[in-house]
CSV table of all heavy atoms in Angstrom, one decimal:
chain,number,residue,atom,x,y,z
A,200,THR,N,56.1,118.9,163.4
A,200,THR,CA,57.4,118.5,163.9
A,200,THR,C,57.2,118.0,165.3
A,200,THR,O,56.4,118.6,166.1
A,200,THR,CB,58.3,119.8,164.0
A,200,THR,OG1,58.4,120.4,162.7
A,200,THR,CG2,59.7,119.4,164.5
A,201,ILE,N,57.8,116.8,165.6
A,201,ILE,CA,57.7,116.3,167.0
A,201,ILE,C,59.1,116.6,167.6
A,201,ILE,O,60.1,116.1,167.1
A,201,ILE,CB,57.5,114.8,167.0
A,201,ILE,CG1,56.2,114.5,166.2
A,201,ILE,CG2,57.3,114.3,168.4
A,201,ILE,CD1,55.9,113.0,166.1
A,202,CYS,N,59.1,117.2,168.8
A,202,CYS,CA,60.3,117.4,169.6
A,202,CYS,C,60.2,116.6,170.9
A,202,CYS,O,59.1,116.3,171.3
A,202,CYS,CB,60.4,118.9,169.9
A,202,CYS,SG,60.5,120.0,168.5
A,203,HIS,N,61.4,116.4,171.5
A,203,HIS,CA,61.4,115.6,172.7
A,203,HIS,C,62.7,115.9,173.5
A,203,HIS,O,63.4,116.9,173.2
A,203,HIS,CB,61.3,114.1,172.3
A,203,HIS,CG,62.3,113.7,171.2
A,203,HIS,ND1,63.6,113.5,171.4
A,203,HIS,CD2,62.1,113.6,169.9
A,203,HIS,CE1,64.2,113.2,170.3
A,203,HIS,NE2,63.3,113.2,169.3
A,204,SER,N,62.9,115.2,174.5
A,204,SER,CA,63.9,115.5,175.4
A,204,SER,C,65.3,115.5,174.8
A,204,SER,O,66.3,116.1,175.4
A,204,SER,CB,64.0,114.5,176.6
A,204,SER,OG,64.0,113.2,176.2
A,205,ARG,N,65.5,114.8,173.7
A,205,ARG,CA,66.9,114.8,173.0
A,205,ARG,C,66.9,115.8,171.9
A,205,ARG,O,68.0,115.9,171.1
A,205,ARG,CB,67.2,113.5,172.5
A,205,ARG,CG,67.0,112.3,173.4
A,205,ARG,CD,68.2,112.2,174.4
A,205,ARG,NE,67.8,111.3,175.4
A,205,ARG,CZ,68.5,111.0,176.5
A,205,ARG,NH1,69.6,111.6,176.7
A,205,ARG,NH2,68.1,110.2,177.4
A,206,THR,N,65.9,116.6,171.7
A,206,THR,CA,65.9,117.6,170.6
A,206,THR,C,66.9,118.7,170.8
A,206,THR,O,67.0,119.2,171.9
A,206,THR,CB,64.5,118.2,170.4
A,206,THR,OG1,63.6,117.1,170.1
A,206,THR,CG2,64.5,119.3,169.3
A,207,GLN,N,67.7,118.9,169.8
A,207,GLN,CA,68.7,120.0,169.9
A,207,GLN,C,68.0,121.3,169.4
A,207,GLN,O,67.2,121.3,168.5
A,207,GLN,CB,70.0,119.7,169.1
A,207,GLN,CG,70.7,118.5,169.6
A,207,GLN,CD,71.9,118.1,168.8
A,207,GLN,OE1,72.2,118.8,167.8
A,207,GLN,NE2,72.6,117.1,169.3
A,208,ASN,N,68.5,122.4,169.9
A,208,ASN,CA,68.0,123.7,169.5
A,208,ASN,C,66.4,123.8,169.6
A,208,ASN,O,65.8,124.3,168.6
A,208,ASN,CB,68.4,124.1,168.1
A,208,ASN,CG,69.9,124.0,168.0
A,208,ASN,OD1,70.7,124.4,168.9
A,208,ASN,ND2,70.4,123.5,166.8
A,209,LEU,N,66.0,123.3,170.7
A,209,LEU,CA,64.4,123.2,170.8
A,209,LEU,C,63.8,124.6,170.6
A,209,LEU,O,62.8,124.6,169.8
A,209,LEU,CB,64.1,122.7,172.3
A,209,LEU,CG,62.6,122.6,172.6
A,209,LEU,CD1,62.0,121.5,171.7
A,209,LEU,CD2,62.4,122.2,174.0
A,210,ALA,N,64.3,125.6,171.3
A,210,ALA,CA,63.6,126.9,171.2
A,210,ALA,C,63.6,127.4,169.8
A,210,ALA,O,62.6,128.1,169.3
A,210,ALA,CB,64.3,127.9,172.1
A,211,GLU,N,64.6,127.1,169.0
A,211,GLU,CA,64.7,127.5,167.6
A,211,GLU,C,63.5,126.9,166.8
A,211,GLU,O,62.9,127.5,165.9
A,211,GLU,CB,66.0,127.0,167.0
A,211,GLU,CG,66.6,127.9,166.0
A,211,GLU,CD,68.1,127.4,165.7
A,211,GLU,OE1,69.0,127.7,166.5
A,211,GLU,OE2,68.2,126.6,164.8
A,212,ILE,N,63.2,125.7,167.2
A,212,ILE,CA,62.1,125.0,166.4
A,212,ILE,C,60.7,125.5,167.0
A,212,ILE,O,59.8,125.7,166.1
A,212,ILE,CB,62.2,123.4,166.7
A,212,ILE,CG1,63.6,123.0,166.0
A,212,ILE,CG2,61.1,122.7,166.0
A,212,ILE,CD1,64.0,121.5,166.4
A,213,THR,N,60.6,125.5,168.3
A,213,THR,CA,59.3,125.9,168.8
A,213,THR,C,58.9,127.4,168.3
A,213,THR,O,57.8,127.6,168.2
A,213,THR,CB,59.2,125.9,170.3
A,213,THR,OG1,60.3,126.7,170.9
A,213,THR,CG2,59.5,124.4,170.8
A,214,ARG,N,59.9,128.2,168.1
A,214,ARG,CA,59.6,129.6,167.7
A,214,ARG,C,59.1,129.6,166.2
A,214,ARG,O,58.7,130.6,165.8
A,214,ARG,CB,60.9,130.4,167.8
A,214,ARG,CG,61.1,131.1,169.1
A,214,ARG,CD,62.1,132.2,169.1
A,214,ARG,NE,63.4,131.8,168.8
A,214,ARG,CZ,64.4,131.4,169.7
A,214,ARG,NH1,64.1,131.4,171.0
A,214,ARG,NH2,65.6,131.0,169.3
A,215,GLN,N,59.2,128.5,165.5
A,215,GLN,CA,58.6,128.4,164.2
A,215,GLN,C,57.2,127.9,164.2
A,215,GLN,O,56.5,127.9,163.1
A,215,GLN,CB,59.4,127.4,163.3
A,215,GLN,CG,60.8,127.9,163.1
A,215,GLN,CD,61.6,126.7,162.4
A,215,GLN,OE1,61.1,125.9,161.7
A,215,GLN,NE2,62.9,126.7,162.7
A,216,ALA,N,56.7,127.6,165.4
A,216,ALA,CA,55.3,127.0,165.4
A,216,ALA,C,54.2,128.0,165.3
A,216,ALA,O,54.2,129.0,166.0
A,216,ALA,CB,55.2,126.2,166.8
A,217,ASP,N,53.3,127.7,164.4
A,217,ASP,CA,52.0,128.4,164.4
A,217,ASP,C,51.2,127.9,165.5
A,217,ASP,O,50.3,128.6,166.2
A,217,ASP,CB,51.3,128.3,163.1
A,217,ASP,CG,52.1,128.8,161.9
A,217,ASP,OD1,52.6,129.9,162.0
A,217,ASP,OD2,52.4,128.0,161.0
A,218,ILE,N,51.2,126.5,165.7
A,218,ILE,CA,50.5,125.9,166.8
A,218,ILE,C,51.6,125.1,167.6
A,218,ILE,O,52.3,124.3,167.1
A,218,ILE,CB,49.5,124.8,166.2
A,218,ILE,CG1,48.5,125.6,165.4
A,218,ILE,CG2,48.8,124.1,167.4
A,218,ILE,CD1,47.6,124.7,164.5
A,219,LEU,N,51.6,125.3,168.9
A,219,LEU,CA,52.7,124.7,169.8
A,219,LEU,C,51.9,123.9,170.8
A,219,LEU,O,51.1,124.4,171.6
A,219,LEU,CB,53.6,125.7,170.4
A,219,LEU,CG,54.6,125.2,171.3
A,219,LEU,CD1,55.6,124.3,170.6
A,219,LEU,CD2,55.4,126.4,171.9
A,220,VAL,N,52.1,122.6,170.9
A,220,VAL,CA,51.5,121.7,171.9
A,220,VAL,C,52.6,121.3,172.8
A,220,VAL,O,53.6,120.6,172.4
A,220,VAL,CB,50.8,120.5,171.2
A,220,VAL,CG1,50.1,119.7,172.2
A,220,VAL,CG2,49.8,120.9,170.1
A,221,ALA,N,52.4,121.6,174.1
A,221,ALA,CA,53.4,121.1,175.1
A,221,ALA,C,52.8,120.0,175.9
A,221,ALA,O,51.8,120.1,176.6
A,221,ALA,CB,53.7,122.3,176.0
A,222,ALA,N,53.5,118.8,175.7
A,222,ALA,CA,53.1,117.6,176.5
A,222,ALA,C,54.3,117.0,177.0
A,222,ALA,O,54.8,115.8,176.6
A,222,ALA,CB,52.4,116.7,175.5
A,223,VAL,N,55.0,117.7,177.9
A,223,VAL,CA,56.3,117.3,178.3
A,223,VAL,C,56.3,116.7,179.8
A,223,VAL,O,57.1,115.9,180.1
A,223,VAL,CB,57.3,118.5,178.4
A,223,VAL,CG1,58.7,118.1,178.2
A,223,VAL,CG2,56.9,119.7,177.6
A,224,GLY,N,55.4,117.2,180.5
A,224,GLY,CA,55.3,116.8,182.0
A,224,GLY,C,56.3,117.4,182.8
A,224,GLY,O,56.8,116.9,183.9
A,225,ARG,N,56.7,118.7,182.4
A,225,ARG,CA,57.6,119.5,183.3
A,225,ARG,C,57.0,120.9,183.5
A,225,ARG,O,56.7,121.5,182.5
A,225,ARG,CB,59.0,119.5,182.7
A,225,ARG,CG,59.8,118.3,182.9
A,225,ARG,CD,61.0,118.2,182.1
A,225,ARG,NE,62.0,119.2,182.5
A,225,ARG,CZ,63.1,119.4,181.9
A,225,ARG,NH1,63.5,118.6,180.8
A,225,ARG,NH2,64.0,120.3,182.2
A,226,ALA,N,56.8,121.2,184.8
A,226,ALA,CA,56.2,122.5,185.1
A,226,ALA,C,56.9,123.7,184.4
A,226,ALA,O,58.1,123.8,184.4
A,226,ALA,CB,56.2,122.7,186.6
A,227,ASP,N,56.1,124.6,183.8
A,227,ASP,CA,56.6,125.8,183.3
A,227,ASP,C,57.8,125.7,182.3
A,227,ASP,O,58.7,126.5,182.2
A,227,ASP,CB,57.1,126.8,184.4
A,227,ASP,CG,55.9,127.0,185.4
A,227,ASP,OD1,54.8,127.0,184.9
A,227,ASP,OD2,56.2,127.3,186.5
A,228,PHE,N,57.8,124.6,181.5
A,228,PHE,CA,58.9,124.3,180.6
A,228,PHE,C,59.0,125.2,179.4
A,228,PHE,O,60.1,125.6,179.0
A,228,PHE,CB,58.7,122.8,180.2
A,228,PHE,CG,59.8,122.3,179.2
A,228,PHE,CD1,61.0,121.8,179.7
A,228,PHE,CD2,59.6,122.3,177.9
A,228,PHE,CE1,62.0,121.4,178.9
A,228,PHE,CE2,60.6,121.8,177.0
A,228,PHE,CZ,61.8,121.4,177.5
A,229,VAL,N,57.8,125.6,178.9
A,229,VAL,CA,57.8,126.4,177.7
A,229,VAL,C,57.7,127.9,178.2
A,229,VAL,O,56.7,128.3,178.9
A,229,VAL,CB,56.6,126.1,176.8
A,229,VAL,CG1,56.5,127.1,175.6
A,229,VAL,CG2,56.7,124.7,176.3
A,230,THR,N,58.7,128.7,177.8
A,230,THR,CA,58.7,130.1,178.2
A,230,THR,C,58.4,131.0,177.0
A,230,THR,O,58.6,130.6,175.9
A,230,THR,CB,60.0,130.4,178.9
A,230,THR,OG1,61.1,129.9,178.1
A,230,THR,CG2,60.1,129.8,180.3
A,231,GLY,N,58.1,132.2,177.3
A,231,GLY,CA,57.7,133.2,176.3
A,231,GLY,C,58.7,133.3,175.2
A,231,GLY,O,58.4,133.5,174.0
Side-chain angles (χ1 to χ4, degrees):
T200 304
I201 305 176
C202 299
H203 47 79
S204 53
R205 310 279 169 189
T206 297
Q207 294 181 358
N208 306 322
L209 178 67
E211 215 170 274
I212 299 168
T213 58
R214 273 196 296 269
Q215 295 171 30
D217 302 305
I218 300 169
L219 179 61
V220 181
V223 212
R225 280 169 64 181
D227 300 332
F228 181 80
V229 174
T230 45

